[in-house]
Amino acid sequence: MRILVIEDDREALAYLVKAFRESGHAADSAPDGLDGYAMAREGQYDVLVVDRMLPKLDGLSVIRSLREQKVETPALILSALAQVDDRVKGLRAGGDDYLPKPYAFSELLARVEVLARRNARSGGAAEATSYRVGDLELDRLSHRVSRGGQDIPLQPREFRLLEYLVRHAGQVVTRTMLLEHVWDYHFDPQTNVIDVHVSRLRAKIDRGFDRPLIHTVRGAGYMVRDGAR
């Protein structure tokens, strides 16, 4: 599941992104309403988590504008405003759920996962919930990975790495792309973190099978495809 968190409180934003990723999901962040709207408008997310009070463009306006643009990604509103009228305004603006602050992350996560499942069942998911490359299968909702019918347990970071690779199966994925979308680094930390993690992932996905699926493209990056060329 890919989540966009739109929150102007830096500590809260960092906490939520870290917590979602540790739960095995991909999470991006936006620090204000305008950036959040621009990112959400691309329609690449399964769920939006939107703080109500945002700079530049408030949370309700973000959601209302997205609905006007026919972006139907489920949105959960976070707010310190907890009165019935406040919740009603949030839902009427186009929000799908409303969670007052303070909240427990376990409840937030459960609500987000419910929204994602509901959206997938309705056929409104922006992305597929499962992928298949050769005999490799990845399910984004259950976080299950198997190859040739054999379950392959992965750590959360490994799952996100594989998910990004299979979403771009047949395409070259650069190290910069992986740093930005899997590690959320917008700079090169001058380490071999990508190579180390890909090596570990390759050992789990390819070892013991008759053909590799994860390929190194010399001087460019990596590619997941069925069969060697």
Side-chain angles (χ1 to χ4, degrees):
M1 178 168 55
R2 191 175 180 193
I3 304 162
L4 174 62
V5 182
I6 310 175
E7 167 68 74
D8 65 318
D9 183 311
R10 291 186 178 183
E11 290 187 3
L13 182 61
Y15 166 76
L16 287 175
V17 169
K18 181 174 184 290
F20 279 127
R21 290 175 176 174
E22 288 179 346
S23 300
H25 303 297
D28 292 337
S29 62
D32 61 64
L34 283 180
D35 282 353
Y37 171 72
M39 295 173 69
R41 190 176 176 181
E42 296 178 2
Q44 298 300 309
Y45 296 97
D46 299 296
V47 179
L48 310 175
V49 176
V50 186
D51 184 50
R52 180 165 177 169
M53 305 300 291
L54 292 168
K56 299 184 180 180
L57 190 66
D58 69 86
L60 299 192
S61 295
V62 169
I63 296 170
R64 191 179 295 112
S65 297
L66 289 171
R67 300 306 183 235
E68 290 173 354
Q69 294 296 318
K70 308 303 181 184
V71 178
E72 301 298 333
T73 308
L76 183 148
I77 300 168
L78 298 176
S79 178
L81 303 175
Q83 298 300 314
V84 172
D85 287 347
D86 297 315
R87 297 198 298 272
V88 169
K89 287 179 181 177
L91 297 175
R92 285 181 173 168
D96 298 273
D97 200 354
Y98 194 106
L99 184 60
K101 298 178 180 181
Y103 55 85
F105 177 75
S106 57
E107 180 181 2
L108 172 60
L109 178 62
R111 287 172 179 249
V112 165
E113 290 176 339
V114 166
L115 289 178
R117 289 196 299 270
R118 185 185 303 161
N119 196 46
R121 286 196 299 269
S122 70
E127 296 181 87
T129 58
S130 63
Y131 297 91
R132 184 182 183 98
V133 180
D135 57 353
L136 174 72
E137 296 183 62
L138 181 147
D139 189 286
R140 299 169 61 222
L141 296 183
S142 66
H143 297 275
R144 179 175 178 269
V145 174
S146 65
R147 185 167 182 190
Q150 174 184 334
D151 283 345
I152 301 175
L154 298 179
Q155 297 296 318
R157 181 79 69 184
E158 294 170 338
F159 184 90
R160 292 197 297 274
L161 176 58
L162 180 62
E163 178 189 350
Y164 192 81
L165 289 169
V166 299
R167 281 175 52 214
H168 297 84
Q171 304 172 27
V172 175
V173 174
T174 68
R175 289 172 175 80
T176 298
M177 292 167 65
L178 292 173
L179 282 170
E180 291 184 350
H181 294 280
V182 179
W183 275 264
D184 199 30
Y185 293 161
H186 295 283
F187 61 94
D188 187 347
Q190 300 299 318
T191 71
N192 62 344
V193 61
I194 299 293
D195 300 321
V196 169
H197 277 79
V198 170
S199 178
R200 291 174 180 171
L201 181 62
R202 181 180 275 135
K204 293 185 177 183
I205 298 300
D206 287 339
R207 184 174 295 168
F209 293 92
D210 60 357
R211 65 187 186 282
L213 296 179
I214 301 175
H215 303 267
T216 299
V217 181
R218 189 176 299 276
Y222 300 96
M223 178 188 295
V224 164
R225 56 180 169 79
D226 185 17
R229 288 189 297 186

